Amino acid sequence: MAYELYYWPTIQGRGEFVRLALEQAGAEYVDVARGRGGVAAMQRLMDGGATHLPFAPPFLKDGDVLIAQTANILLYLGRRHGLAPHDEAGHLWAHQLQLTIADAVDEAHDTHHPIASGFYYEDQQAEARRRAADFTGNRIPKYLGYFERALERNPQGDRHLVGRQVGYCDLSLFQLVAGLRYAFPRVMTRLERDFPRIIALHDRVAAEPRVAAYLKSERRIPFNQHGIFRHYPELDNPE
Ligand SMILES: N[C@@H](CCC(=O)N[C@@H](CS)C(=O)NCC(=O)O)C(=O)O
């Protein structure tokens, strides 16, 4: 039976981390809200149509199993599709890395919405500038420095974050880099030379046959100004 992925239909957002795992696994899935069911089908589950109620998308339905929270979904898929180690320590390490990527994604979002998601960007622009200056000056280097070290210390080689084959953390790190490049191109141009292992991993993931086919397909919608990663030139502070 095909997985059902529920996510907002017009943005990559957090759904993209799940899509990349499904695509790399070669798993059959239906992107429900992009299809005939639309957002209404997604809303129905959140409004009480499910026992294990999701708070927010993305969520994944596998028959009777309904799972929300991006890192939790990837924990589930990782085990089933060989995208994470099976032993407990390796499995938890992959989950830890994924939760850290999730933190970085939250902070990337907060650069353009530092006060509240419900307010317009224009009504929090001054705070956004301050937040983005800190994110680009301190937080991106700290997060990327951490993942660079994690790659360097992988006992099975620096081509992957965990183990010796492409896993869901590698796919997510690829997506984090892609998002940061879209949102902060000038900052990233300046920073990337400090993180050669991450950039090499990004390029290898993009060249994985299933990922490459996905990136060229219509299923991969472009980054846009409604997603988590948004490009506001005034926030792309290269200093
Ligand atoms: N921690 C959750 C965050 C989920 C989340 O914030 N989803 C967004 C879309 S990317 C949403 O629709 N949020 C609605 C809300 O928070 O009210 C995850 O990683 O899945």
Side-chain angles (χ1 to χ4, degrees):
M1 201 195 302
Y3 290 111
E4 290 177 9
L5 170 64
Y6 292 81
Y7 193 67
W8 301 111
T10 56
I11 59 170
Q12 291 185 15
R14 291 181 176 86
E16 200 64 12
F17 296 91
V18 181
R19 271 187 210 103
L20 283 165
L22 291 166
E23 295 280 347
Q24 173 68 6
E28 220 184 303
Y29 71 99
V30 180
D31 216 321
V32 177
R34 286 190 193 169
R36 266 198 282 151
V39 169
M42 183 167 91
Q43 201 61 53
R44 266 197 300 280
L45 286 180
M46 286 191 289
D47 287 347
T51 311
H52 292 178
L53 216 52
F55 175 73
F59 40 94
L60 185 80
K61 201 164 178 305
D62 180 16
D64 294 337
V65 180
L66 182 63
I67 315 145
Q69 291 285 352
T70 311
N72 203 28
I73 299 169
L74 292 170
L75 188 80
Y76 181 80
L77 291 176
R79 278 236 166 113
R80 274 158 189 76
H81 296 282
L83 294 172
H86 274 275
D87 66 285
E88 190 172 38
H91 172 70
L92 289 174
W93 170 229
H95 189 49
Q96 176 181 322
L97 287 166
Q98 190 62 42
L99 288 167
T100 309
I101 291 173
D103 289 344
V105 171
D106 286 348
E107 291 190 27
H109 168 272
D110 291 349
T111 58
H112 50 82
H113 280 76
I115 302 297
S117 298
F119 296 169
Y120 290 113
Y121 167 66
E122 289 69 22
D123 295 335
Q124 46 192 318
Q125 210 168 351
E127 294 88 350
R129 277 177 190 261
R130 292 189 69 195
R131 186 67 187 255
D134 181 65
F135 184 65
T136 55
N138 298 317
R139 301 299 283 174
I140 296 181
K142 185 166 181 178
Y143 277 115
L144 295 187
Y146 172 75
F147 293 119
E148 183 76 12
R149 285 199 308 283
L151 280 166
E152 192 182 351
R153 295 170 70 106
N154 180 0
Q156 284 156 319
D158 66 0
R159 292 171 63 84
H160 305 290
L161 277 168
V162 186
R164 60 176 84 244
Q165 61 191 39
V166 176
Y168 68 74
C169 297
D170 299 321
L171 298 164
S172 292
L173 187 55
F174 157 82
Q175 178 65 8
L176 179 64
V177 170
L180 291 175
R181 279 181 173 175
Y182 172 75
F184 307 106
R186 291 196 300 166
V187 168
M188 289 300 281
T189 297
R190 182 174 55 81
L191 289 181
E192 284 187 12
R193 71 179 74 97
D194 295 337
F195 308 107
R197 291 178 183 79
I198 293 177
I199 300 308
L201 176 141
H202 168 279
D203 295 351
R204 276 196 310 276
V205 167
E208 279 287 313
R210 284 177 173 157
V211 173
Y214 169 64
L215 295 177
K216 274 197 250 138
S217 75
E218 286 184 355
R219 299 190 300 288
R220 170 83 170 185
I221 56 174
F223 286 108
N224 60 43
Q225 291 299 82
H226 306 288
I228 293 174
F229 297 104
R230 301 187 194 181
H231 178 60
Y232 293 107
E234 63 276 19
L235 303 186
D236 183 17
N237 183 347
E239 299 313 322

